[in-house]
Amino acid sequence: MAKIPISLKEGKIAEPKNDELIIGIDLGTTNSLVAFANDNVPKVIKHNEKSALVPSIIYFDPEGQIIVGADAKEKLVSEPSRTIYSAKRLMGKSYNDLSAVQELLAYNIVDTNEEELVRVKVGDTYYSPIDLSAKILGELKRTVEKELDREVKKAVITVPAYFNDAQRQATRDAGKVAGLEVLRIVNEPTAASLAYGIGLDADAERIIAVYDLGGGTFDVSILHLQAGVFEVLSTNGDTFLGGDDFDRAIVDFWIDTFKLDIKDGNKSFIQELRVSAEEAKKALSTKNEFEKEVNGVDLRITKQEFELLIQPMISKTINSCEQALKDAELTTTKIDEIIMVGGSTRVPLVKESVSKFFGKAVNDSINPDEVVALGAAIQADILAGNQKGILLLDITPLSLGIETMGGLMDTIVPRNTKIPSKGNRQYTTSVDGQKNLKITVYQGERDLVEHNRKLAEFILKDIPPMPAGLPKIDISFIIDADGVLRVKAKELRSETETSLEIKSQYGISEEEMATMLMDSIKNAKSDMHARGLLEARNEGNSMIKSLEKFLRDNREFLSSEQTDMVENLHQQLINLVAGDDKNKILDKISEINKVTEPLANEALTRIVSKELISDK
Ligand code: AMP
């Protein structure tokens, strides 16, 4: 699983080397924050007198004015269709991926094309999730600029560890739209680790669990720290589990308990329930009871009732912790430190359950809402050149490769490769005079591409006509420091200019990502069988073609018995390739090789003597 070795050689705080200001941004599902380091000490910037947290909510008023943050949150109740929340969930997604979630959202997701990226309709205007995130980033940029009275142009933005390339790219694009050059996209657990500054003591060896339960996502990472280097041994999580779900559980509880009418046209009442539910949840982090009157209904919930509601969700996170430990080949007793990240870790039952599972007290010394932004600011400070000797590395969580004959996955960059990284491999054509080659890029550990995740499709065009097998096509994968993948294909023999077409496969659900590794282990045996069969079939098919060519070229020299024998073997092989017995195909291929060897030798002698004659 994901490994992030981070070498922090000089923990010592250095003098600022220049006055380049790079901000760190935690672009969250529920709340976003901005921070920057001053004299190497990271600080979050307050958005208003009360808080640094900027609710990731955007309100579009009918006159075209846009409000972001707490003021927009106020509009959730009165104008639900003009108030957009959880935009992060829409990043890099198609309508298809979201149809199940749509009913949970009070605004309109536009159903244009199932394959296309979603858009949100507000009034008569359509917004992409990139536009929406850009509004939040723009607000954060303005907040810092106001505070410091200077322009800010560069940023580091964090994303969940499970974000795929499309989502990372969408985040980067959102930064651009907001007028920010995004120098680095950093995984949230990486940032949180940096904020805790673990790794400064070169002698320490520790194993750390980072438990991150935010508003919309859950992640757990197991880190190993040694000699100032720490790596993530494993990660696990659920991209659709967080404090929002706690709120929804409370809303459902109230609807059931108080027999509330929430039929169509009652969207603003649902919103009001949502806001009250969050209020209740937060109150229950310190109190035993909550009570509030909404629309003449006396809404109540006790801590005990709330805990019963969220128990199954917490159990799910504990299962993830268990899985992460298993992947890291560790037991709970090996964990030295547990770090809590994300606003929802304030819920006492969350802390208790995590602490009970690991058998020790959890570490929540840094504000769980701010820890990721603070880490992003430290990363920004490193990039600004203000902290020397610090190297940040990341790795590919899943293998990257392309589809080859028969639907097989050919890995070019294996999982756990440190990034930035480059991998390449050479391929050739399978048909004479082939002009185009379709290259399909996949991510995953399974032998058959159909079980992996399709990332992109390329067409390498204008290959000069050559016999099959002659072109040398070099396919290279380049992964930059942000984990963004670029694929290049070039025909080397002709050295002609080749055009490359990329069709990004946006909107592929990353839901299966976490389970993909498990699947690959579970199915290793059947995959091996399938791969063996496909390879045998590929070999069989190329033998069938060779036999056909041999018959075409040599028919006049063969006796009728020889022709019959070859035709017979040819037919037998065709029948076997259509079946699914790998061994029979391979046995037949070796039989054919043996039987036809003398014939092939005779044919070769004929060709050589013909050449000798023509040479004379
Ligand atoms: P984050 O995505 O890390 O900003 O986490 C936000 C989530 O934490 C939201 O679901 C909040 O409702 C939740 N949250 C914030 N403060 C508290 C609190 N005191 N008790 C329980 N949940 C909280």
Side-chain angles (χ1 to χ4, degrees):
M1 300 278 284
K3 283 189 183 149
I4 308 165
I6 301 168
S7 162
L8 298 165
K9 278 196 204 122
E10 277 178 35
K12 221 168 93 264
I13 286 166
E15 290 301 306
K17 293 291 179 294
N18 55 47
D19 75 341
E20 182 172 42
L21 179 66
I22 308 173
I23 55 173
I25 293 178
D26 171 8
L27 183 61
T29 309
T30 321
N31 293 304
S32 298
L33 279 101
V34 60
F36 79 95
N38 193 6
D39 285 342
N40 301 111
V41 179
K43 269 193 217 123
V44 295
I45 313 291
K46 283 206 164 164
H47 185 240
N48 53 37
E49 302 88 68
K50 275 195 249 154
S51 172
L53 289 181
V54 180
S56 304
I57 299 174
I58 309 139
Y59 168 66
F60 295 86
D61 90 355
E63 272 76 53
Q65 215 200 322
I66 293 164
I67 299 169
V68 176
D71 294 341
K73 195 171 179 179
E74 304 271 299
K75 302 285 182 184
L76 274 178
V77 174
S78 56
E79 297 198 56
S81 65
R82 295 193 156 270
T83 313
I84 313 302
Y85 56 91
S86 288
K88 187 173 175 180
R89 285 195 189 281
L90 311 179
M91 291 292 264
K93 301 253 179 164
S94 73
Y95 181 79
N96 229 4
D97 296 321
L98 290 164
S99 37
V101 194
Q102 161 109 65
E103 61 191 77
L104 302 172
L105 305 174
Y107 49 88
N108 292 316
I109 292 178
V110 184
D111 178 9
T112 45
N113 176 333
E114 291 188 347
E115 286 293 311
E116 253 178 34
L117 286 174
V118 295
R119 279 180 305 159
V120 171
K121 189 171 182 230
V122 184
D124 295 329
T125 316
Y126 295 88
Y127 296 95
S128 72
I130 292 174
D131 297 330
L132 298 169
S133 293
K135 303 276 184 250
I136 299 166
L137 293 173
E139 180 70 20
L140 297 170
K141 179 176 183 275
R142 280 190 296 278
T143 305
V144 186
E145 286 175 341
K146 213 165 98 192
E147 166 89 11
L148 301 179
D149 196 23
R150 60 179 281 194
E151 202 183 358
V152 174
K153 290 187 186 148
K154 295 177 176 179
V156 166
I157 305 178
T158 60
V159 296
Y162 284 119
F163 253 28
N164 64 27
D165 288 338
Q167 292 167 304
R168 283 166 200 268
Q169 191 54 47
T171 305
R172 195 174 263 284
D173 291 347
K176 210 184 281 170
V177 174
L180 286 168
E181 186 190 340
V182 181
L183 298 183
R184 190 67 67 88
I185 297 284
V186 181
N187 285 338
E188 288 158 10
T190 306
S193 310
L194 270 180
Y196 272 91
I198 300 166
L200 300 181
D201 176 2
D203 299 329
E205 182 180 358
R206 303 190 87 59
I207 294 180
I208 307 136
V210 181
Y211 179 101
D212 181 348
L213 188 62
T217 57
F218 167 66
D219 277 290
V220 57
S221 311
I222 309 292
L223 312 174
H224 176 223
L225 160 69
Q226 190 172 29
V229 174
F230 63 96
E231 58 179 346
V232 179
L233 300 176
S234 67
T235 67
N236 207 295
D238 187 333
T239 48
F240 277 84
L241 183 63
D244 293 352
D245 300 296
F246 295 0
D247 302 347
R248 266 194 287 277
I250 297 176
V251 170
D252 291 345
F253 170 79
W254 282 337
I255 290 172
D256 276 0
T257 312
F258 304 111
K259 309 269 175 294
L260 304 177
D261 178 20
I262 46 119
K263 296 239 169 60
D264 289 349
N266 236 341
K267 273 191 167 174
S268 67
F269 181 45
I270 299 175
Q271 285 299 355
E272 198 155 352
L273 288 176
R274 250 183 64 98
V275 172
S276 307
E278 191 187 5
E279 215 180 294
K281 172 186 72 178
K282 287 184 179 174
L284 294 175
S285 285
T286 50
K287 288 187 196 148
N288 287 324
E289 250 181 304
F290 174 85
E291 192 177 349
K292 185 188 177 187
E293 199 198 294
V294 173
N295 276 17
V297 187
D298 188 18
L299 300 174
R300 293 156 170 269
I301 186 164
T302 65
K303 187 176 174 188
Q304 213 176 9
E305 284 165 335
F306 172 61
E307 292 186 341
L308 266 177
L309 293 177
I310 61 168
Q311 184 59 59
M313 295 177 235
I314 297 180
S315 297
K316 257 175 115 175
T317 70
I318 299 297
N319 289 344
S320 285
C321 293
E322 217 160 14
Q323 191 56 51
L325 277 179
K326 211 180 269 174
D327 289 343
E329 294 174 3
L330 291 172
T331 52
T332 50
T333 53
K334 294 277 190 284
I335 304 293
D336 300 304
E337 208 104 43
I338 306 127
I339 293 172
M340 301 300 262
V341 180
S344 301
T345 59
R346 289 205 180 87
V347 173
L349 185 66
V350 171
K351 283 192 212 182
E352 285 158 26
S353 308
V354 175
S355 152
K356 193 168 152 213
F357 172 73
F358 286 103
K360 26 174 88 59
V362 298
N363 187 335
D364 51 3
S365 60
I366 298 183
N367 181 332
D369 287 319
E370 297 180 354
V371 60
V372 169
L374 292 172
I378 293 173
Q379 169 69 86
D381 205 34
I382 294 166
L383 292 175
N386 297 333
Q387 300 200 17
K388 291 280 171 214
I390 298 175
L391 177 70
L392 271 183
L393 293 173
D394 228 324
I395 62 120
T396 54
L398 292 169
S399 299
L400 293 159
I402 66 165
E403 175 176 1
T404 58
M405 288 237 291
L408 284 173
M409 170 84 174
D410 201 18
T411 295
I412 295 182
V413 176
R415 76 191 181 95
N416 281 350
T417 301
K418 280 177 192 161
I419 56 173
S421 156
K422 191 173 181 284
N424 71 315
R425 188 160 297 184
Q426 287 181 7
Y427 298 88
T428 189
T429 51
S430 57
V431 180
D432 287 342
Q434 188 172 334
K435 279 198 204 146
N436 298 328
L437 184 73
K438 188 163 112 180
I439 300 147
T440 319
V441 182
Y442 284 87
Q443 184 176 37
E445 307 314 310
R446 303 285 297 273
D447 280 340
L448 302 183
V449 292
E450 64 183 277
H451 298 130
N452 290 334
R453 208 158 59 105
K454 186 167 155 184
L455 293 180
E457 214 170 71
F458 295 81
I459 313 271
L460 176 64
K461 285 182 173 174
D462 304 331
I463 302 169
M466 279 183 254
L470 211 58
K472 272 192 179 174
I473 295 155
D474 186 75
I475 297 183
S476 62
F477 279 30
I478 300 149
I479 309 170
D480 70 17
D482 301 326
V484 174
L485 170 70
R486 282 179 191 88
V487 182
K488 282 188 191 159
K490 190 179 175 187
E491 203 292 299
L492 299 176
R493 206 175 276 279
S494 61
E495 284 199 27
T496 43
E497 281 282 315
T498 48
S499 59
L500 195 67
E501 254 177 34
I502 178 163
K503 190 179 158 250
S504 276
Q505 298 285 309
Y506 273 98
I508 296 153
S509 159
E510 89 277 18
E511 280 301 273
E512 76 264 66
M513 184 123 162
T515 55
M516 278 169 91
L517 279 172
M518 273 316 288
D519 281 353
S520 74
I521 297 162
K522 265 196 304 223
N523 297 295
K525 214 167 157 191
S526 64
D527 275 7
M528 222 160 71
H529 172 76
R531 176 178 273 271
L533 178 60
L534 274 177
E535 279 171 353
R537 278 188 185 145
N538 287 343
E539 212 178 310
N541 279 327
S542 87
M543 172 63 91
I544 290 167
K545 275 195 195 144
S546 306
L547 287 177
E548 284 162 3
K549 188 168 173 358
F550 178 79
L551 282 172
R552 262 198 320 272
D553 295 348
N554 298 287
R555 199 172 282 274
E556 56 182 307
F557 306 108
L558 298 176
S559 69
S560 64
E561 290 83 37
Q562 283 173 327
T563 309
D564 283 353
M565 179 190 70
V566 176
E567 279 179 344
N568 233 327
L569 288 169
H570 172 249
Q571 192 52 51
Q572 285 169 12
L573 187 57
I574 288 177
N575 295 345
L576 287 173
V577 164
D580 51 15
D581 191 328
K582 173 189 96 173
N583 292 335
K584 280 193 180 150
I585 300 171
L586 293 178
D587 288 350
K588 189 53 72 183
I589 291 170
S590 41
E591 182 192 335
I592 295 173
N593 271 328
K594 224 177 276 162
V595 175
T596 56
E597 202 188 344
L599 298 181
N601 284 339
E602 279 170 32
L604 196 65
T605 313
R606 273 195 301 277
I607 294 166
V608 174
S609 48
K610 215 159 87 190
E611 278 173 1
L612 286 176
I613 292 162
S614 61
D615 274 356
K616 276 184 185 165

